[in-house]
Amino acid sequence: MRTLLTGNYAVAEAVKLSRAKVIAAYPITPQTTIVEKLAEMVEKGELDAEFIRVESEHSALAAVYGAAAAGLRTFTATSSHGLLYLYEMVWWVANARLPLVMAVVTRTIGPPWNIHTDHTDLLTMRDSGWIISMAENVQEAFDLTIQGFRISEEAELPFVVGMDAFQLSHTAEVIDLPSQEDVDKWLPERKQSYKIEPNNPVTVGSIGPNEYTAKLRYDMAKTIESSKELIRKADESFGKTFGRSYGGLVESYELDDAEYVVVMAGAWCGDAKDAIDRLRAEGLPVGMLRLRYFRPFPREELEELEGRKVLVVDRAFSMGHMGILGMEVSSVINNVTNVIAGIGGVDVGVEDFEAMFRRFAKGELQRVEWWPKEVFS
Amino acid sequence: MKISELPRESILLPGNPSCQGCPHGLGLRALGMALENIVLVIPAGCTTIISGIHPKASFNVPVLHVPFASAAAVASGLAAAYRQEGIDANVVVWMGDGGADIGFATLSGAAVRNEDIIVVVSDNEAYMNTGIQSSGTTFWKAKTTTSPGGKSEEKKDLATIMLMHRVPYVATASVGYLPDFIEKLRRASEIKGFRFIHLHSPCPPGWRFDSSRTVEIARLAVKSGAWVLWEYDGRFSISTPSKPYKNEERGAPLEEYIKAQGRFKGIKPEDIEEIRRKIEKQWRLLLSFEETFR
Ligand code: SF4
């Protein structure tokens, strides 16, 4: 069914179609309308789930930690300060190997108060053991949410659907909404290794010998590495059932013959693609490798770019060093150029990308350059 | 209730790593005697240690360990899941006073939502697990490693604060009166919604008394009125062990209670008098609750 939905409502629809059983939520802009919609669905009886109106984001992830430990499909969503506040639980959920899905509507971190997008909040989760995806458009945010439950439950690691504040969360697009029947067919029953339930004396999370902690992290490292295959397979099989596949961990756009490759993630990739089209029309061989996942990191796909000129456009900066993505990509390929743009939601449009890529091709960009110049002079 | 009719098998297995004379051990045994289908949620604290070191475990009931500030919220999630699945469970948060400090917002939130959980705060009046630091419920003038001269702030009255959340069940209890605690747990288990029990748990190393005296000290606290046992289940009542407090010669037990503990070493007589006045006020407050919630 074709229907007009904002990114937030699309995610809520996907959670409903995935038949989540427990949802916990605390409002934070721009995530709020996801959980408002879910609350409405539960209240109207459209979704057979428990909706827990917790008193903080810390408790939101804590409550779904409990529900997931009891063996149910659960969901929560957050953003920016909310994510930082629940950050402790991020690690507990991952280390308990509990599958669940959380949407992170990416938003910059204050002060000053600012509700607009950049990717700093999401990237703080980088090292915790979550599978971290990033949507480009509303349809993809929807698709990633459904895929997230499957991938998360197969890997027994939690899953994040990342999406840009306002550009996706509050922008309506026409999307294809599959039937409940099709989703039921595609998304298997939840399975997990252990459940906390009465009369089953299992202890989870007790004190462990150091070697045990080390071994747990090692096992998680291996699992998240092998989740690359799960992600590719899920993308492929999703494509077969629903007619949309994206390329797995990355999407290639005009990449095959590109001499200049732009590496980016998130909603603004759409504008960057328009810029690429314009430059291509002039004969400039620019292409894009869009990161659909931050974790696991698409190392192999990036390695194939070695020898080409690579520009990473970053929406997050690691103080005292460089852009976070720039740094990540630099760990795989040499001589990466890194533009830092769109921090705090600073507008970056098609013209910016066109000018940026043109200057990149001419070799005019610094190794690390903040964009646009006017803002930083 | 006949103790002899209660289950003998403890949920806490022998050989667990608690200190000698640990009040939590007493309380946890009583918990297992009182309730069935227990699922324990345990935030950081002494009970984390008591629970044992992987791959061994001291509890023969399911346990989910959780970070400090999250306990009542995790329990909310478990309770919601069991409700969805139609599973009968007593979801019990067992935490110390630390959990009720750092996790107070969480506790309050769960109470406001009237979550179907039982929260027991086993209160040893300081952060013992990290080496005896002052907490919100540390007794006025008690010495801890962060209040070496004696705590200058008031003891937070957690149970009456929880009562004001208008939840269906709130009680105080003491490891010195386990049958009373067991009865309260049983009463709590008959009620749906948020149930809260504030269990007074004197800790030998933290309060500096000999580990053979835990029960004795706990009883002195009740006899002297420094800890009052009460129950609210729609009606507020002072519990039987606390009733004689008014009739006794009040001076002696309070001094005895204070003097028995190393944490009050060197306390001035006028401070003991001040404590007596505080106890008197608390008693009047509780009697007024008895009047109000009849
Ligand atoms: S420090 Fe006190 S409360 Fe903690 S285990 Fe030892 S006796 Fe028990």
Side-chain angles (χ1 to χ4, degrees):
Chain A
M1 190 178 73
R2 307 285 290 165
T3 186
L4 184 72
L5 286 177
T6 63
N8 279 358
Y9 283 0
V11 168
E13 288 293 338
V15 171
K16 177 182 147 196
L17 287 167
S18 303
R19 298 188 186 275
K21 288 285 176 197
V22 176
I23 294 151
Y26 190 77
I28 180 167
T29 306
Q31 166 275 134
T32 334
T33 53
I34 301 180
V35 294
E36 282 174 1
K37 192 74 197 167
L38 285 165
E40 193 184 307
M41 290 167 170
V42 171
E43 209 158 293
K44 282 188 181 157
E46 297 166 7
L47 171 59
D48 175 22
E50 295 266 340
F51 188 93
I52 312 179
R53 283 179 285 274
V54 287
E55 71 295 334
S56 78
E57 290 91 350
H58 193 281
S59 288
L61 192 52
V64 293
Y65 169 74
L72 295 198
R73 198 166 272 166
T74 66
F75 173 84
T76 188
T78 193
S79 217
S80 186
H81 292 260
L83 176 61
L84 299 201
Y85 192 54
L86 61 71
Y87 187 63
E88 173 181 43
M89 291 310 304
V90 160
W91 290 74
W92 273 73
V93 171
N95 283 15
R97 303 294 309 257
L98 285 173
L100 56 86
V101 173
M102 175 164 79
V104 172
V105 182
T106 60
R107 166 184 153 184
T108 197
I109 298 161
W113 285 117
N114 178 332
I115 56 173
H116 296 110
T117 191
D118 66 37
H119 300 160
T120 317
D121 56 352
L122 182 62
L123 290 170
T124 61
M125 294 180 72
R126 194 185 59 175
D127 306 329
S128 60
W130 285 58
I131 296 172
I132 306 172
S133 70
M134 188 74 198
E136 182 189 319
N137 51 45
V138 171
Q139 181 76 61
E140 195 181 20
F142 174 89
D143 294 346
L144 278 171
T145 306
I146 291 174
Q147 290 179 21
F149 283 107
R150 172 154 162 174
I151 295 163
S152 166
E153 287 161 22
E154 281 176 347
E156 296 193 273
L157 285 175
F159 190 101
V160 162
V161 179
M163 57 196 273
D164 285 273
F166 300 103
Q167 293 171 13
L168 291 197
S169 63
H170 288 63
T171 305
E173 286 174 28
V174 174
I175 71 159
D176 179 49
L177 205 62
S179 68
Q180 182 69 62
E181 207 188 344
D182 284 349
V183 176
D184 285 346
K185 260 188 239 151
W186 189 79
L187 188 60
E189 287 274 299
R190 181 187 175 90
K191 60 167 182 64
Q192 68 190 65
S193 298
Y194 69 88
K195 274 188 199 175
I196 296 290
E197 55 195 354
N199 303 309
N200 175 19
V202 167
T203 295
V204 173
S206 59
I207 300 172
N210 300 346
E211 290 73 14
Y212 186 80
T213 306
K215 174 90 171 33
L216 170 70
R217 298 299 291 177
Y218 173 74
D219 285 345
M220 287 168 69
K222 283 208 304 201
T223 309
I224 202 161
E225 206 49 49
S226 61
S227 74
K228 288 179 175 174
E229 204 39 45
L230 299 180
I231 289 167
R232 283 188 203 108
K233 280 197 184 133
D235 181 57
E236 232 179 79
S237 114
F238 193 87
K240 279 195 193 118
T241 305
F242 301 102
R244 284 181 303 280
S245 67
Y246 297 85
L249 290 148
V250 299
E251 184 207 333
S252 304
Y253 188 78
E254 300 285 351
L255 191 65
D256 287 351
D257 63 339
E259 275 171 48
Y260 305 98
V261 179
V262 184
V263 177
M264 299 172 63
W268 62 354
C269 291
D271 294 318
K273 285 174 180 172
D274 286 350
I276 288 171
D277 291 347
R278 289 190 194 175
L279 295 171
R280 279 273 173 179
E282 289 173 20
L284 193 69
V286 196
M288 179 190 292
L289 183 100
R290 178 171 73 88
L291 303 176
R292 298 185 66 235
Y293 285 83
F294 293 128
R295 284 294 182 271
F297 194 58
R299 203 168 36 243
E300 292 78 6
E301 288 84 344
L302 283 161
E303 268 162 10
E304 284 172 23
L305 300 182
E306 191 65 78
R308 303 202 232 179
K309 298 230 161 27
V310 175
L311 168 69
V312 179
V313 188
D314 236 303
R315 220 162 184 158
F317 189 77
S318 175
M319 287 299 155
H321 194 13
M322 62 193 291
I324 297 176
L325 273 193
M327 190 164 82
E328 294 260 300
V329 176
S330 297
S331 73
V332 181
I333 334 174
N334 293 312
N335 301 320
V336 165
T337 302
N338 191 193
V339 163
I340 318 299
I343 301 287
V346 167
D347 199 32
V348 185
V350 183
E351 281 72 26
D352 285 284
F353 286 120
E354 204 183 321
M356 188 191 297
F357 298 164
R358 213 185 283 282
R359 286 187 53 203
F360 171 58
K362 284 187 191 146
E364 289 175 6
L365 292 177
Q366 308 284 321
R367 193 180 75 88
V368 177
E369 180 140 342
W370 289 65
W371 188 281
K373 274 232 150 50
E374 313 84 82
V375 174
F376 305 103
S377 55
Chain B
M1 178 196 60
K2 284 207 184 97
I3 290 273
S4 59
E5 285 166 13
L6 295 172
R8 308 310 296 168
E9 199 184 319
S10 175
I11 60 165
L12 184 61
L13 302 169
N16 69 74
S18 66
C19 308
Q20 284 184 359
C22 175
H24 301 322
L26 293 170
L28 285 161
R29 283 186 71 102
L31 178 71
M33 291 168 97
L35 301 182
E36 284 175 347
N37 302 328
I38 295 173
V39 174
L40 276 182
V41 176
I42 304 179
C46 286
T47 312
T48 310
I49 313 276
I50 296 171
S51 164
I53 296 173
H54 179 90
K56 296 190 172 146
S58 310
F59 287 107
N60 58 10
V61 291
V63 176
L64 188 57
H65 288 276
V66 303
F68 239 152
S70 73
V74 176
S76 306
L78 283 164
Y82 299 145
R83 199 159 43 236
Q84 269 280 319
E85 301 283 272
I87 293 173
D88 235 357
N90 273 310
V91 180
V92 178
V93 176
W94 181 276
M95 65 188 191
D97 42 325
D101 276 351
I102 192 171
F104 185 72
T106 319
L107 186 62
S108 174
V112 166
R113 294 191 301 275
N114 197 23
E115 293 286 353
D116 193 27
I117 61 175
I118 298 175
V119 178
V120 179
V121 171
S122 185
D123 184 7
N124 52 22
E125 298 192 341
Y127 306 144
M128 300 309 178
N129 188 41
T130 39
I132 322 171
Q133 294 83 24
S134 184
S135 80
T137 59
T138 298
F139 210 83
W140 186 66
K141 286 294 162 187
K143 291 189 165 88
T144 68
T145 51
T146 52
S147 60
K151 192 197 180 197
S152 52
E153 306 91 30
E154 262 306 337
K155 177 179 168 76
K156 169 167 81 181
D157 185 358
L158 197 55
T160 60
I161 297 169
M162 295 319 291
L163 180 69
M164 289 304 132
H165 282 76
R166 303 172 203 284
V167 292
Y169 188 85
V170 182
T172 61
S174 161
V175 297
Y177 297 90
L178 289 180
D180 174 76
F181 179 42
I182 291 171
E183 260 175 44
K184 283 170 176 166
L185 283 164
R186 293 225 145 176
R187 178 81 192 103
S189 73
E190 290 163 2
I191 295 170
K192 274 231 161 296
F194 188 88
R195 291 142 292 164
F196 182 83
I197 301 180
H198 194 174
L199 177 70
H200 197 232
S201 296
C203 156
W207 295 19
R208 311 224 169 92
F209 59 78
D210 188 84
S211 57
S212 64
R213 299 184 68 194
T214 307
V215 168
E216 185 194 338
I217 303 282
R219 289 189 180 164
L220 274 174
V222 173
K223 284 182 187 154
S224 63
W227 186 254
V228 183
L229 300 182
W230 53 263
E231 185 178 39
Y232 170 85
D233 59 357
R235 208 180 132 254
F236 188 97
S237 57
I238 305 284
S239 309
T240 313
S242 272
K243 279 184 182 151
Y245 156 71
K246 266 282 141 183
N247 310 326
E248 273 181 31
E249 165 41 55
R250 266 174 281 146
L254 180 61
E255 306 234 315
E256 210 184 310
Y257 175 58
I258 302 271
K259 296 264 153 75
Q261 303 171 46
R263 63 176 178 160
F264 292 116
K265 198 162 171 243
I267 192 169
K268 296 194 202 83
E270 57 265 36
D271 288 341
I272 298 181
E273 274 318 300
E274 181 61 27
I275 291 171
R276 204 187 304 281
R277 276 193 289 276
K278 288 176 194 289
I279 288 173
E280 198 52 40
K281 264 193 212 158
Q282 177 71 3
W283 183 255
R284 282 208 303 273
L285 177 74
L286 295 177
L287 290 180
S288 76
F289 283 164
E290 226 176 15
E291 273 299 300
T292 309
F293 302 107
R294 276 212 271 207

